[in-house]
Amino acid sequence: MALGTRFISPLWPALSSLHRAGLGQHRGLSTPSGLGHTLDLGGIFPPLVTPFSPMQEVDYAQLEGNLRRYASIPFRGLVVLGSSGEYPYLAPHEKLEVVSCVRRALPRDRLLLAGSGCESTQATIRLMVSMAEAGADVALVVTPCYYRGSMTSAALVQHYTEVADASPLPVVLYSVPANTGLELPLEAVLTLAQHPNIIGIKDSSGDITRMGLMVHKTRQEDFQVLAGSAGFLLASYTLGASGGICALANVLGAPLCQLDRLCRKGQWQEARDLQQRLIEPNMAVTHQFGIPGLKKAMEWFGYYGGPCRAPLAPLSSPQAEELRRTFSANGWL
């Protein structure tokens, strides 16, 4: 591991500066007065689903079709290879091709965040280098969790420090305890926020107190907090979060960008009304029905969802009907 890190680490300062330069500024709500961000993450990012054909092969034509439809929505950027992208089910060559495909279609002023976390530190570093070569701007790195009993705060700080030291890309931490069974400890986040190549965190825990403390305790750092779900986006913004990486943005991207706008303008009553209409649909495509529900809902709004890759199973007819009722009851269908 040490040999690999020493070999790669001289690359990242130069490459990272190239990726950070000239990508545009979009001031986030968490930016303290007088402190700007080297690479501003303020805004909405959909964590793209990976379209599959009926034979469960990656369907790049359908991916490009979805990207054309998303081009008219004012997203800050896109996330590929996150939880919604069925990241664990993709082969290494598929992951790189998906990143390349999205990069070709994405304007340079929109950021491309790529899921790059692996179980070992060495594998994570190698993947991040490949992601940079494929065109990613930022690496989103989920917590290693297979040996979660050994993933102490100290172990995770060591992992992410070595990763950030060696990475040619700026790093965003990713804590998603619903999937990993492991929450990145607050004290680890505060330590890692001081690293010059760690620029933020996607926190999907839904713990608003924790998110507020992250914003407050890192206010002097070049570090941004992103809400990991549309269900608590407004609450996150009121505490100073910069933006959100929200699965529901695959379906209701324009309303989520509208919510982002309302919060930035301080139009809190309108923002609250909109947020309330998003809570139940968001719960339906995350906790209740998961990725099969998300892909089914996409089809009602003109996107390609398609099948999931096994062993994820499609929704039953009663489940699909319940999902549709949820969207209809909140005025979206």
Side-chain angles (χ1 to χ4, degrees), residues 77-94:
L78 304 177
V79 173
V80 293
L81 308 177
S83 301
S84 298
E86 297 175 68
Y87 171 82
Y89 295 169
L90 297 182
H93 73 277
E94 291 176 322

Side-chain angles (χ1 to χ4, degrees), residues 40-278:
D40 205 309
L41 303 174
I44 301 299
F45 298 80
L48 298 180
V49 305
T50 301
F52 294 112
S53 71
M55 301 302 293
Q56 298 189 15
E57 298 298 325
V58 178
D59 194 327
Y60 295 101
Q62 294 290 1
L63 175 58
E64 291 169 358
N66 284 345
L67 293 171
R68 285 192 293 271
R69 295 179 181 92
Y70 289 139
S72 63
I73 301 174
F75 292 130
R76 177 65 179 100
L78 304 177
V79 173
V80 293
L81 308 177
S83 301
S84 298
E86 297 175 68
Y87 171 82
Y89 295 169
L90 297 182
H93 73 277
E94 291 176 322
K95 294 175 182 178
L96 294 177
E97 184 54 37
V98 166
V99 173
S100 296
C101 178
V102 175
R103 180 73 275 170
R104 289 191 297 269
L106 192 64
R108 287 304 313 182
D109 64 343
R110 295 197 181 188
L111 296 175
L112 178 55
L113 280 63
S116 305
C118 301
E119 284 301 311
S120 78
T121 305
Q122 184 181 57
T124 300
I125 292 170
R126 288 176 175 170
L127 183 57
M128 295 169 95
V129 171
S130 297
M131 291 299 180
E133 293 170 349
D137 297 309
V138 178
L140 181 67
V141 183
V142 70
T143 49
C145 63
Y146 189 84
Y147 299 106
R148 64 179 57 84
S150 298
M151 292 298 99
T152 62
S153 184
L156 290 167
V157 167
Q158 178 68 21
H159 168 72
Y160 278 111
T161 298
E162 290 188 25
V163 163
D165 283 347
S167 174
L169 298 174
V171 172
V172 170
L173 312 173
Y174 182 19
S175 181
V176 55
N179 288 354
T180 63
L182 175 70
E183 186 170 70
L184 187 58
L186 178 61
E187 62 269 22
V189 175
L190 301 183
T191 298
L192 292 167
Q194 300 173 52
H195 194 289
N197 203 33
I198 296 177
I199 63 171
I201 182 171
K202 175 189 177 184
D203 192 302
S204 299
S205 68
D207 185 338
I208 296 301
T209 300
R210 169 184 158 93
M211 293 186 70
L213 280 173
M214 285 182 193
V215 173
H216 177 60
K217 296 289 188 179
T218 63
R219 63 191 183 280
Q220 297 303 318
E221 310 293 344
D222 185 6
F223 189 81
Q224 297 154 86
V225 177
L226 299 172
S229 178
F232 49 85
L233 187 59
L234 171 60
S236 302
Y237 276 163
T238 63
L239 290 171
S242 294
I245 300 176
C246 308
L248 188 63
N250 283 280
V251 182
L252 297 176
L256 281 171
C257 288
Q258 181 184 0
L259 179 57
D260 173 83
R261 260 191 325 272
L262 291 171
C263 290
R264 294 180 191 283
K265 291 180 179 179
Q267 296 175 242
W268 299 111
Q269 180 60 56
E270 295 95 327
R272 186 179 69 180
D273 292 343
L274 180 53
Q275 173 70 90
Q276 289 173 346
R277 295 175 56 217
L278 294 168

